[in-house]
Amino acid sequence: MQEERLISQATINNWKRLKVDNKEISTRLTKRANKTFSTKQFVPAEYFSDNETLKVIEQITATKKNTETVIYNLGLNLLKSNKLIKINNEKIETENEYIREILSEFGQYKIEKELITLELPQNERDILGVIYQSLLTEGTKNKQGSYYTPQKIIDKIIKNLPPDAKFLDPCCGTGSFLISAADIIKNPKNIYGYDLDKTACFIAKINLILKYKNIKFRPNIFNKDFLLDNSKIKADIIATNPPWGAMLNPEYKKAFKDIKSGESFSYFIKKSAEKITNNGRLHFVLPESILNVKRHRDIRAFILGNFHISEIELEGKAFSQVLTDVVTLCLDKNMTNSEIIIKSDRKIYKLNQDFYNKNSKNNFSILDNKDVEILEKIYTHPHLTLKDKSQWGLGIVTGNNSKFISENSKNKEKIYSGKNIKKGQIQESSKHIEFIPKNFQQCAPEAIYRAEEKLVYKFISKKLVFAYDNQKRLFLNSANILIPNIEGYSIKSAMAFLNSTVFQYIYTKKFNELKVLKGNLSELPFPIYDKNKYKNLTDEDIFKIFNLTDEEIKYIKNEIGAK
């Protein structure tokens, strides 16, 4: 996987336009938000089980040997300790021709006594993989997508693997999935792996040799590009944690013309569909954004047209140093059962896949058939939307907050951010800015900010949080602006609905995004109701307007954690 955090060239160009100096640009690029350039190293704690491993990694790091030399010698160490090779006077002896082949293909490296005699932890499933991961910089991991999969996720995926299945990992890394598959699959020739990283492939081969040390075989591990592979290999089970992020290789664009996003994991899903047997199954570890982000609609549509989604499981933040939430998808070829099992930390949902097909964006929403019934009831009520005449505005993007924003109020006015916005109110700010739009990276028309009445809302949020402003205040881009124009609605009655439990429920079930987007807000149903009957709208009034039963209200409140 590769975290989706690379700052665009357009952003860098804007920094230069705003005269951000090169030193500051360099600093921004190496911050945690842009991990592709990071030189930091970290130990993947979720990937090892033995505390002694940390001490061994420290010893290895202290040798200051290059990575390939370390991995080669530690590979010899493991083969030697398992009596698969002997080392005499720096000469390697073995009766296994495939081991000789594996060592020769990786390259000739000097035998380092301190490494081949180093006592390695016995309880690690992939000690070479843990060490390799720890030697790579964060930037290299991000570019290569080499954040390896936590064992608890692998175990859930592998647990029902048939012993005679043909198993394939198209981005196998050091073989974490393959090692676990080898616990079940009897014939090592039924296990296949691809990876572009030569060192990772070497480790994966060693790992499989050790798992089947009483069998002589050539591991089916290929140091080549799975996405451009034309072999006739077919597998019953494909399980992988692919790279995440845009891949701009023109060969991929040509091979996968209908994946307009250029998203790497979408390419791997599409290619895996070619490599799976008719009754086969795919397991993919993916960023949660696949479920609902507009950019990934193309692969969602492909999945719905070619697979039954058997299971979606929300895994949370599964990787060290990666902020993105993770999901696993289980996709079945030619399965007739149309009910999806959706697992979260709160409950298990069951949903008919037809709901995703009917959704205008093919969003993979986290909901139950019960939710579908309630949403249909809500949307059946006559309603209006924000789509046509409402006005929208972005908060100010200065391009350099430290330069333009300060505590000093001289010749400046107050500016507010998303942190200042609470439901129905705007908290005071100590920040000030001189409003000169031409100096900013991005700015809405001044009339939007200076409107007599407007609503402002948190932009980065899973919650709908709207406040009313009639003081013509300025806002930063962590807040956005809405001037609703809905027939029969005052601006404050529109805010009451937007802050309501019902709208939060709708928003969570239909969209569940980390950003509050205009397109999603435009789909919310503002009901046509008796304005004389409901003058000061409360949550309970809104439940009544939609004719929701006590049972439905209780269910809605429970689903979004409302009291």
Side-chain angles (χ1 to χ4, degrees):
M1 55 140 294
Q2 179 175 340
E3 194 179 11
E4 301 171 289
R5 294 191 171 272
L6 179 60
I7 292 171
S8 71
Q9 186 60 46
T11 298
I12 295 172
N13 290 342
N14 272 320
W15 288 341
K16 290 179 177 178
R17 179 178 66 80
L18 295 166
K19 296 182 173 57
V20 178
D21 64 41
N22 290 333
K23 183 178 179 181
E24 172 67 10
I25 289 175
S26 178
T27 300
R28 294 183 186 193
L29 288 173
T30 53
K31 284 185 178 177
R32 190 159 111 184
N34 206 48
K35 294 183 178 179
T36 300
F37 298 94
S38 174
T39 56
K40 186 174 77 171
Q41 291 175 302
F42 66 88
V43 179
E46 76 279 1
Y47 195 56
F48 68 83
S49 54
D50 192 328
N51 289 332
E52 290 299 308
T53 302
L54 279 172
K55 295 179 183 178
V56 171
I57 291 169
E58 287 172 1
Q59 284 179 265
I60 291 166
T61 304
T63 69
K64 300 190 183 301
K65 307 290 184 190
N66 70 60
T67 300
E68 290 76 16
T69 297
V70 169
I71 297 302
Y72 178 79
N73 277 274
L74 293 180
L76 296 181
N77 182 322
L78 290 172
L79 293 169
K80 179 173 172 285
S81 62
N82 281 274
K83 299 184 166 64
L84 292 170
I85 65 170
K86 293 179 181 179
I87 301 176
N88 292 314
N89 298 321
E90 298 194 359
K91 185 178 179 182
I92 300 165
E93 298 174 0
T94 179
E95 295 178 359
N96 189 322
E97 62 189 282
Y98 301 118
I99 291 177
R100 282 198 298 271
E101 185 180 287
I102 291 166
L103 295 174
S104 175
E105 284 178 351
F106 187 56
Q108 297 298 315
Y109 297 91
K110 183 182 176 183
I111 294 177
E112 303 285 350
K113 187 176 180 181
E114 62 185 317
L115 292 173
I116 64 170
T117 58
L118 183 66
E119 189 173 340
L120 297 174
Q122 300 297 307
N123 297 326
E124 294 293 355
R125 293 178 62 79
D126 180 17
I127 183 61
L128 287 184
V130 173
I131 292 168
Y132 183 48
Q133 274 281 291
S134 302
L135 294 174
L136 293 175
T137 66
E138 189 176 30
T140 299
K141 290 177 188 180
N142 197 272
K143 286 182 220 177
Q144 294 180 354
S146 56
Y147 288 82
Y148 289 6
T149 315
Q151 191 61 43
K152 65 178 183 178
I153 293 179
I154 296 171
D155 290 342
K156 286 187 285 188
I157 289 173
I158 297 295
K159 64 182 178 183
N160 295 319
L161 184 66
D164 59 347
K166 282 194 172 182
F167 182 89
L168 167 66
D169 182 348
C171 319
C172 69
T174 60
S176 51
F177 276 105
L178 308 183
I179 297 167
S180 292
D183 288 335
I184 300 171
I185 292 175
K186 297 174 182 177
N187 185 351
K189 293 182 180 179
N190 282 344
I191 296 177
Y192 297 82
Y194 287 75
D195 206 279
L196 288 172
D197 184 335
K198 179 184 175 183
T199 303
C201 286
F202 172 75
I203 295 172
K205 290 173 185 178
I206 296 292
N207 281 334
L208 283 185
I209 289 289
L210 294 174
K211 289 294 290 187
Y212 296 97
K213 61 184 178 182
N214 296 320
I215 302 174
K216 287 186 179 180
F217 69 102
R218 177 185 287 110
N220 293 316
I221 307 295
F222 307 110
N223 181 207
K224 58 196 294 190
D225 193 337
F226 174 78
L227 295 177
L228 301 177
D229 180 56
N230 294 318
S231 72
K232 295 182 180 179
I233 293 171
K234 290 266 187 176
D236 305 308
I237 306 290
I238 295 178
T240 195
N241 170 17
W244 307 349
M247 298 178 79
L248 304 178
N249 187 330
E251 291 185 74
Y252 298 154
K253 282 190 172 183
K254 186 177 178 181
F256 305 99
K257 292 179 181 177
D258 53 342
I259 304 298
K260 305 299 183 186
S261 64
E263 171 57 58
S264 55
F265 66 68
S266 298
Y267 292 153
F268 277 95
I269 293 171
K270 188 98 189 303
K271 186 68 176 183
S272 294
E274 298 174 16
K275 298 289 188 179
I276 200 74
T277 55
N278 283 336
N279 295 308
R281 170 172 282 188
L282 306 184
H283 294 274
F284 269 72
V285 181
L286 300 167
E288 193 176 289
S289 59
I290 189 177
L291 302 180
N292 47 34
V293 170
K294 183 179 179 181
R295 184 162 72 98
H296 303 316
R297 183 185 174 186
D298 51 12
I299 196 61
R300 291 196 295 270
F302 176 81
I303 289 170
L304 293 172
N306 292 274
F307 293 96
H308 165 60
I309 306 171
S310 291
E311 191 173 292
I312 298 173
E313 182 159 4
L314 306 183
E315 306 285 357
K317 290 175 175 56
F319 299 94
S320 294
Q321 308 296 311
V322 177
L323 301 178
T324 306
D325 282 350
V326 173
V327 298
T328 51
L329 294 189
C330 176
L331 312 175
D332 282 320
K333 191 80 173 170
N334 295 332
M335 185 174 175
T336 54
N337 180 8
S338 62
E339 196 162 65
I340 304 167
I341 303 298
I342 303 173
K343 298 179 180 179
S344 74
D345 58 353
R346 294 184 64 251
K347 64 183 286 188
I348 295 176
Y349 301 89
K350 292 183 179 180
L351 178 69
N352 191 297
Q353 186 162 314
D354 285 345
F355 180 81
Y356 292 164
N357 287 314
K358 293 174 184 176
N359 185 307
S360 62
K361 299 175 183 176
N362 297 129
N363 283 353
F364 292 177
S365 304
I366 306 302
L367 72 175
D368 194 271
N369 288 320
K370 171 79 171 175
D371 295 303
V372 174
E373 292 175 13
I374 294 174
L375 288 172
E376 286 181 351
K377 179 176 182 178
I378 289 170
Y379 274 87
T380 299
H381 193 291
H383 62 270
L384 303 167
T385 69
L386 294 164
K387 280 184 180 178
D388 297 326
K389 297 178 181 178
S390 297
Q391 292 179 274
W392 307 81
L394 300 173
I396 296 166
V397 181
T398 67
N400 189 340
N401 283 356
S402 62
K403 178 180 178 181
F404 293 106
I405 297 173
S406 70
E407 304 279 341
N408 182 6
S409 62
K410 187 177 180 181
N411 298 322
K412 296 180 180 180
E413 61 184 297
K414 285 191 175 182
I415 188 162
Y416 299 78
S417 69
K419 291 180 181 179
N420 301 113
I421 300 172
K422 307 299 176 187
K423 282 195 175 185
Q425 61 177 309
I426 299 167
Q427 293 186 333
E428 267 309 312
S429 170
S430 61
K431 305 298 182 183
H432 295 79
I433 193 169
E434 187 176 5
F435 186 66
I436 306 175
K438 68 179 182 180
N439 289 343
F440 306 142
Q441 184 173 317
Q442 195 171 0
C443 188
E446 185 173 2
I448 295 287
Y449 303 122
R450 306 307 187 187
E452 295 296 328
E453 290 185 298
K454 65 178 183 284
L455 299 181
V456 290
Y457 59 94
K458 284 191 175 184
F459 175 52
I460 307 296
S461 175
K462 283 197 170 187
K463 299 286 186 183
L464 297 181
V465 182
F466 283 76
Y468 172 80
D469 177 46
N470 63 354
Q471 296 182 35
K472 303 180 181 181
R473 288 180 268 209
L474 299 175
F475 290 86
L476 285 169
N477 63 312
S478 56
N480 281 344
I481 296 160
L482 165 64
I483 304 172
N485 188 338
I486 309 169
E487 186 178 348
Y489 273 77
S490 69
I491 192 168
K492 287 190 173 180
S493 61
M495 180 177 70
F497 277 91
L498 288 162
N499 282 333
S500 70
T501 299
V502 172
F503 270 36
Q504 182 61 56
Y505 169 76
I506 298 168
Y507 202 86
T508 299
K509 291 299 177 179
K510 281 179 67 70
F511 311 114
N512 195 36
E513 293 196 44
L514 188 57
K515 296 177 181 178
V516 178
L517 302 176
K518 171 185 172 181
N520 295 340
L521 292 174
S522 294
E523 291 189 26
L524 293 173
F526 288 82
I528 296 170
Y529 69 100
D530 186 345
K531 308 297 188 296
N532 293 318
K533 185 176 180 181
Y534 300 101
K535 292 186 177 180
N536 296 306
L537 287 163
T538 65
D539 239 14
E540 296 307 312
D541 290 336
I542 292 170
F543 285 131
K544 289 177 184 176
I545 288 168
F546 282 109
N547 299 314
L548 294 164
T549 66
D550 289 344
E551 180 189 351
E552 288 166 339
I553 292 168
K554 182 179 178 181
Y555 178 85
I556 287 170
K557 287 181 175 181
N558 184 62
E559 283 300 290
I560 64 168
K563 294 179 180 180

